[in-house]
Amino acid sequence: MAADAAEKARGKRAALSFAAVALVLGLPLWWKTTETYRASLPYTGISALGSLRFQLTVPVAVVFAKGALPGAQWRRLPFADTQEEESLLNPKTSVTARYETTYRGATATEQAALAMATVQEADAALLPLQEDLVGALTVYVIPETSLLLPQGVGVYVGKHRSAVMRGTQGPGDVLAAISARVQQIVQAMSFTTDSITTALSDRVPMDQLGTDTRRPFKSSLGYEITFSLLNPDPKSHDVHWDIEAAVNSYVQPFLDKLGSVANFSVDSQILYYAVLGVSPRFDKASSSFILSALSLPHVINPVEARLGSSATSLYPVLNFLLYVPERVHSPLYIQDKDGAAVGTNAFHSPRWGGIMVYNIDHPAPDKAPLPLRVDVDMVRVMEVFLAQLRLLFGISQVPLPEEFLLESPGNKGLSDWELDRLLWTRTVENIATVSTTLTSLAQLLDKIGNIVIKDDVASEVYHAVASAQTAMLELASGHLGSAFQASKEAVTSSERAFFDPSLLHLLYFPDDQKFAIYIPLFLPMAVPILLSLVKILREAKQSKKEPMKTD
Amino acid sequence: MAGARPAPRWLPAAAALLWACCGSAATDGIQDQAEQFFRSGHTNNWAVLVCTSRFWFNYRHVANTLSVYRSVKRLGIPDSHIVLMLADDMACNPRNPKPATVFSHKNMELNVYGDDVEVDYRSYEVTVENFLRVLTGRIPPSTPRSKRLLSDDRSNILIYMTGHGGNGFLKFQDSEEITNVELADAFEQMWQKRRYNELLFIIDTCQGASMYERFYSPNIMALASSQVGEDSLSHQPDLGIGVHLMDRYTFYVLEFLEEIHPASQTNMNDLFQVCPRSLCVSTPGHRTDLFHRDPQNVLITDFFGSVRKVEITTQTVALDPNLVGLETRVPNDEMATEPLKYAEQLPVAQIIHQVEGAVAANWLTACTE
């Protein structure tokens, strides 16, 4: 009897200790070993980035030459003024344009520069006198009677970051009178609400997408530019092009100027027997061959397979093709929709590149032996290719009123203020991209508890958040150069974090599958323990009742 | 009444002419605007074609995928923009009586393998993980460019999948499966990063419609070969090869696509009519509620072909060749490289002239020159 009771007691203790070990040791151990490692992420920082309030500050200096202001108003100089324009694009995005304008009189050296013979010389002389700050602008106001600007020209926009404008001669408040014109100049040289809204087209859905948004390449860390010479008729034409010299002289300065924006690599190739996919029509009137605008879209595809763009880097590729038509199809002209011949004889495709047709003069057949040696005039070709390159980067011509005189950027291909325009839109675009990427990454990681978040992914996210905040602050304080660099770093880090290969989850477990996995493991062990616990409890209850009964 | 003068006779005619001119100008303007509005905003096209089954008796799935590949290439999408995943090699399978061919019509009428097929993921590389990596872009950095889907926010992507499937899943390689929830999540990841402008998803498996039930991202149009609860059937066996060559739905889609050329104006509604129940036995389904344009205005070539938008270049940049000398920077000095030549593979003269003892040692040193 006693042995029985002792046996039972030992049994009870054994069952209880099993249950204790299972609960105290087993359950936490199982929980710990099946949890995924998730490094912490700055969720508050990411949600703060979710609503973007851009403050874009442009430091403007308005310099008055002697005689541009009447005496009373001259004595008010120098003073500073700030103007703000806010536009709310959607509940989570708003853009405030802030123009910090300082008005001052010209110094002696500036006055001497403004007294030069031509406005181009004046611009060159004024350049060292300006502070070399990316994004800052200087407007020089000269008296209305000055002869610096040619007749009929009210404003001259230089190729750096300055403009010269003619003041008004009235007795009234000159400052108020010219402020509208100054505003127009500043907006043309930096950004307008429209250009910023276009850059934010991902966040702010636009109803009608014009070609201006579809044409330029999206902001990327690098681009690959390929120049190809297509010679479909090597028997007739022996074409030579000095592409290396042309790239060094004309393309490289342009790319160097854009060096802060992205990395560029340039290569070139010559393709023989590469034909356009479309046969041109013969036009009796001009006795030449015509490629109509409707057949142009079908030209690119057959040739693309041979361009070898798949063997290059992972960056977006821009292809520029120079096509020398076959002897039997010469001369070949491109016609636009209205049937008029195109002056440049070239066309481009958004986000792809451009093609130019280069016609050769053929002397009488008996005079020159075949193949005819052709040396391509690279200047003509590069003028077209650079124009296409500018369009593909989104550096489009700003529509300006008649009296504005725009200085051509020369061989550099790009004015400083055009670069600034690009930097404003790119910075805003980058920050918007970072915000979208990080928000969606945070949502994804929140929703799926099974994804492992490694330490380096977490550190990239922290870096991205910090850089984006720096970029916003720099934009607000008017330092465009450092804002752009910070935004570029933020984009790089956020893309690296988002596209990290370790973030792929294949652990989609529907609930019934979870049961199916755990039940065969835990049920056989749990059933005896539970049953014996139930038995122990029942016996304990009974033994409590019995003493009370017999009492 | 006395002051009223009769209107000149030419006035109604002039009015009519003016109205006609204005009317036509207005309609021209409206036409232009309409064209622009209904035209898709894409600038490039991509295609991801996946065949998920292996083994010789699943010949028809490889033939399905290759026939879509062939149509898509013919209509202009280059190989660099196509990610082709074939889970098994039928053309060089030892059981193939006609090696290096994959036929889609019986009596071996049409060889869809051709001679310039570029398979990006082959054999055991076709897994659910790789497929999801391709879609979401979370690819290890060592992956070559041809294995990546480098689409951007202006890309139209065609995704075609075929194999064996069930209600809510698609079987990969007889060992794993992808569920419709995973696929929908992958598409949402793509949308978050704007990796597509519009997406066309076509699936030819049993109960294919279940795979597109869970999509929730915008701009997706989906077609399937059969509804939930129905099986997709194969088309015809070829007695010479010994297996079924194609599935019915893809067979009729291929016939439909053979009529399309790059300048066609055929729209999606015609594609929805392909393979009615009488021919296909199963009921093909489609889903357009997530798509923002009317299928009537979506051209087949928007997804299956690659029609580029072009603009005429009207401006040039003024360049001055005389300024070149002043502005160019010094090009980097190239490293002088000495001309390389192959080492002597078999220096016969040295071997012959070597006498006993020294032969082995000299031969070894000669080869390592």
Side-chain angles (χ1 to χ4, degrees):
Chain A
M1 256 341 211
D4 237 356
E7 192 67 38
K8 266 203 191 143
R10 208 172 45 212
K12 271 191 220 161
R13 277 201 297 273
L16 281 172
S17 58
F18 270 125
V21 165
L23 274 174
V24 170
L25 221 57
L27 213 58
L29 199 68
W30 167 75
W31 188 257
K32 196 83 179 73
T33 50
T34 54
E35 85 174 359
T36 47
Y37 177 74
R38 294 169 73 97
S40 66
L41 290 181
Y43 287 108
T44 41
I46 296 175
S47 57
L49 269 183
S51 63
L52 290 174
R53 311 258 167 249
F54 286 106
Q55 194 179 52
L56 307 174
T57 306
V58 187
V60 181
V62 181
V63 180
F64 288 94
K66 253 203 245 304
L69 274 184
Q73 296 173 32
W74 186 269
R75 277 187 281 280
R76 277 166 56 192
L77 298 176
F79 70 96
D81 183 26
T82 308
Q83 259 180 314
E84 281 196 12
E85 252 176 55
E86 176 163 354
S87 37
L88 185 68
L89 298 172
N90 69 25
K92 291 204 152 198
T93 320
S94 75
V95 176
T96 310
R98 203 181 136 93
Y99 302 102
E100 287 177 352
T101 324
T102 50
Y103 297 88
R104 62 180 176 82
T107 61
T109 22
E110 287 175 342
Q111 196 62 37
L114 285 170
M116 291 205 161
T118 62
V119 67
Q120 281 85 356
E121 286 174 22
D123 196 38
L126 284 168
L127 179 61
L129 301 170
Q130 297 161 9
E131 14 170 314
D132 192 18
L133 189 60
V134 178
L137 296 170
T138 318
V139 180
Y140 297 95
V141 184
I142 54 176
E144 195 170 354
T145 50
S146 162
L147 294 171
L148 188 60
L149 288 176
Q151 198 63 282
V153 171
V155 178
Y156 166 83
V157 178
K159 51 181 175 179
H160 301 290
R161 293 187 174 95
S162 60
V164 180
M165 71 175 269
R166 221 186 267 278
T168 50
Q169 198 70 358
D173 192 358
V174 176
L175 284 169
I178 61 164
S179 68
R181 181 57 74 83
V182 168
Q183 180 81 330
Q184 202 181 23
I185 298 175
V186 168
Q187 284 199 340
M189 290 172 79
S190 58
F191 58 86
T192 57
T193 320
D194 281 337
S195 65
I196 298 291
T197 315
T198 317
L200 290 171
S201 59
D202 275 350
R203 262 177 104 80
V204 182
M206 292 166 62
D207 289 326
Q208 289 275 32
L209 285 177
T211 42
D212 275 344
T213 46
R214 279 188 271 152
R215 190 197 304 128
F217 277 86
K218 279 267 157 181
S219 175
S220 158
L221 292 166
Y223 297 93
E224 176 99 24
I225 302 181
T226 307
F227 292 100
S228 309
L229 172 65
L230 269 62
N231 186 0
D233 199 4
K235 289 197 288 286
S236 315
H237 303 134
D238 179 23
V239 188
H240 291 258
W241 70 342
D242 193 4
I243 185 70
E244 200 171 336
V247 164
N248 282 336
S249 328
Y250 304 117
V251 180
Q252 200 58 45
F254 179 77
L255 296 180
D256 285 340
K257 205 141 189 199
L258 283 176
S260 60
V261 175
N263 295 327
F264 293 97
S265 69
V266 182
D267 38 58
S268 69
Q269 59 180 345
I270 303 183
L271 291 176
Y272 294 104
Y273 294 107
V275 290
L276 299 180
V278 181
S279 13
R281 273 186 314 111
F282 183 69
D283 181 34
K284 274 220 172 64
S286 53
S287 70
S288 59
F289 287 85
I290 302 285
L291 267 180
S292 71
L294 290 171
S295 56
L296 291 178
H298 307 291
V299 163
I300 298 178
N301 284 327
V303 108
E304 173 149 23
R306 299 197 51 190
L307 290 176
S309 40
S310 59
T312 53
S313 68
L314 297 172
Y315 292 139
V317 182
L318 285 89
N319 289 300
F320 293 100
L321 273 56
L322 185 66
Y323 182 72
V324 177
E326 301 135 313
R327 194 189 166 81
V328 298
H329 283 147
S330 283
L332 181 61
Y333 295 111
I334 299 179
Q335 257 184 7
D336 63 11
K337 275 201 308 275
D338 308 319
V342 173
T344 55
N345 222 14
F347 63 97
H348 57 273
S349 178
R351 302 218 180 167
W352 184 80
I355 299 187
M356 177 175 174
V357 178
Y358 188 86
N359 287 314
I360 302 173
D361 296 324
H362 290 101
D366 49 344
K367 284 215 191 114
L370 295 174
L372 185 68
R373 187 183 163 103
V374 179
D375 283 304
V376 176
D377 177 11
M378 293 311 295
V379 178
R380 222 180 85 201
V381 168
M382 279 302 162
E383 284 182 347
V384 173
F385 281 163
L386 270 181
Q388 290 176 339
L389 194 56
R390 277 169 56 110
L391 284 172
L392 288 170
F393 271 110
I395 305 166
S396 47
Q397 289 284 27
V398 182
L400 291 170
E402 274 293 316
E403 4 167 66
F404 276 61
L405 176 65
L406 266 177
E407 174 69 34
S408 133
N411 277 13
K412 286 260 168 83
L414 186 67
S415 319
D416 283 348
W417 57 270
E418 284 177 327
L419 178 63
D420 285 354
R421 281 182 70 92
L422 190 65
L423 289 182
W424 284 112
T425 46
R426 285 279 167 111
T427 312
V428 168
E429 191 186 320
N430 283 349
I431 298 179
T433 311
V434 170
S435 159
T436 323
T437 308
L438 288 180
T439 314
S440 102
L441 182 64
Q443 268 177 357
L444 169 74
L445 294 176
D446 219 15
K447 187 171 103 163
I448 300 173
N450 284 330
I451 295 189
V452 175
I453 307 177
K454 297 196 305 198
D455 279 331
D456 52 351
V457 171
S459 71
E460 293 285 355
V461 173
Y462 272 100
H463 188 207
V465 169
S467 302
Q469 285 165 346
T470 313
M472 294 281 276
L473 287 172
E474 295 284 339
L475 273 180
S477 60
H479 303 131
L480 180 59
S482 45
F484 178 73
Q485 291 302 326
S487 74
K488 214 163 81 151
E489 273 178 41
V491 162
T492 318
S493 291
S494 68
E495 299 277 305
R496 231 182 270 149
F498 190 88
F499 286 117
D500 192 272
S502 70
L503 286 181
L504 194 77
H505 73 288
L506 286 178
L507 307 171
Y508 168 66
F509 278 141
D511 288 326
D512 47 348
Q513 283 192 19
K514 277 201 186 104
F515 278 122
I517 291 176
Y518 283 128
I519 284 181
L521 291 174
F522 289 133
L523 206 61
M525 181 188 76
V527 166
I529 294 181
L530 279 173
L531 285 179
S532 46
L533 279 179
V534 162
K535 195 166 154 199
I536 291 172
L537 277 173
R538 222 184 306 146
E539 281 182 5
K541 253 196 235 155
Q542 267 191 351
S543 62
K544 264 205 203 118
K545 276 198 201 139
E546 280 194 289
M548 290 176 67
K549 259 192 181 171
T550 52
D551 249 356
Chain B
M1 200 164 103
R5 284 201 310 170
R9 240 182 256 153
W10 51 263
L11 194 58
L17 194 63
L18 204 62
W19 181 84
C21 285
C22 287
S24 66
T27 48
D28 256 346
I30 292 177
Q31 180 96 3
D32 257 342
Q33 212 178 12
E35 266 180 36
Q36 211 163 355
F37 182 69
F38 292 131
R39 216 180 278 152
S40 151
H42 73 283
T43 58
N44 54 39
N45 284 77
W46 284 80
V48 179
L49 310 173
V50 185
C51 159
T52 58
S53 21
R54 56 174 32 242
F55 305 130
W56 171 247
F57 49 82
N58 289 322
Y59 183 101
R60 59 189 185 281
H61 296 138
V62 173
N64 287 350
T65 318
L66 284 173
S67 58
V68 177
Y69 172 77
R70 180 178 178 281
S71 311
V72 146
K73 258 181 86 158
R74 187 176 57 81
L75 290 172
I77 303 187
D79 268 317
S80 53
H81 285 226
I82 302 178
V83 178
L84 178 62
M85 305 171 87
L86 295 180
D88 202 358
D89 186 8
M90 298 305 167
C92 300
N93 194 304
R95 291 171 72 168
N96 190 348
K98 298 267 179 222
T101 58
V102 172
F103 293 108
S104 62
H105 284 58
K106 73 173 179 199
N107 302 326
M108 304 181 199
E109 279 166 22
L110 183 61
N111 174 18
V112 288
Y113 200 63
D115 45 7
D116 61 346
V117 172
E118 189 184 292
V119 183
D120 300 303
Y121 286 85
R122 58 191 68 192
S123 184
Y124 289 106
E125 290 171 355
V126 179
T127 58
V128 174
E129 178 181 340
N130 281 347
F131 176 62
L132 289 179
R133 283 194 192 281
V134 165
L135 286 186
T136 54
R138 300 202 165 100
I139 282 191
S142 57
T143 318
R145 192 185 167 107
S146 58
K147 283 189 168 175
R148 292 180 188 242
L149 179 64
L150 296 168
S151 55
D152 55 28
D153 63 319
R154 295 270 140 245
S155 305
N156 275 10
I157 308 185
L158 164 73
I159 299 187
Y160 175 84
M161 301 184 76
T162 181
H164 288 287
N167 188 356
F169 67 91
L170 172 61
K171 188 171 74 160
F172 265 69
Q173 304 256 20
D174 220 16
S175 63
E176 52 182 4
E177 42 203 46
I178 185 172
T179 53
N180 49 7
V181 178
E182 276 181 317
L183 196 57
D185 284 341
F187 286 161
E188 177 63 16
Q189 288 286 289
M190 288 175 80
W191 175 249
Q192 289 287 327
K193 273 312 274 177
R194 300 292 184 273
R195 276 165 69 78
Y196 68 88
N197 175 38
E198 288 170 350
L199 199 102
L200 177 63
F201 177 75
I202 304 184
I203 185 159
D204 188 351
T205 63
C206 303
Q207 307 195 52
S210 63
M211 288 305 282
Y212 61 62
E213 271 172 5
R214 300 294 195 104
F215 292 165
Y216 55 94
S217 318
N219 293 357
I220 301 185
M221 196 191 295
L223 281 99
S225 59
S226 54
Q227 301 292 334
V228 175
E230 287 181 351
D231 287 338
S232 282
L233 301 181
S234 59
H235 185 59
Q236 48 185 213
D238 179 297
L239 298 176
I241 299 183
V243 283
H244 285 258
L245 294 182
M246 283 272 269
D247 276 333
R248 283 176 190 243
Y249 183 69
T250 311
F251 181 82
Y252 290 108
V253 167
L254 174 63
E255 267 189 9
F256 173 79
L257 289 176
E258 290 287 302
E259 321 255 307
I260 310 282
H261 56 92
S264 311
Q265 298 290 310
T266 332
N267 58 42
M268 278 295 165
N269 275 342
D270 301 327
L271 188 58
F272 294 158
Q273 309 302 325
V274 159
C275 207
R277 203 195 161 91
S278 52
L279 287 173
C280 255
V281 184
S282 59
T283 320
H286 54 92
R287 181 176 175 180
T288 54
D289 58 317
L290 294 166
F291 206 74
H292 66 111
R293 289 192 293 155
D294 188 359
Q296 182 78 21
N297 302 316
V298 180
L299 299 177
I300 299 283
T301 51
D302 277 350
F303 289 103
F304 284 90
S306 176
V307 183
R308 305 266 182 187
K309 310 279 189 296
V310 296
E311 287 165 15
I312 306 280
T313 311
T314 47
Q315 301 157 352
T316 56
V317 171
L319 291 175
D320 189 353
N322 300 326
L323 288 177
V324 163
L326 305 167
E327 290 178 10
T328 51
R329 39 168 215 145
V330 179
N332 293 332
D333 290 318
E334 289 189 22
M335 304 243 304
T337 50
E338 46 182 78
L340 305 168
K341 59 179 176 60
Y342 278 110
E344 292 272 356
Q345 299 298 312
L346 200 59
V348 179
Q350 289 188 351
I351 294 176
I352 290 178
H353 288 154
Q354 286 307 321
V355 215
E356 59 286 314
V359 170
N362 274 340
W363 185 69
L364 278 171
T365 52
C367 283
T368 55
E369 258 169 31

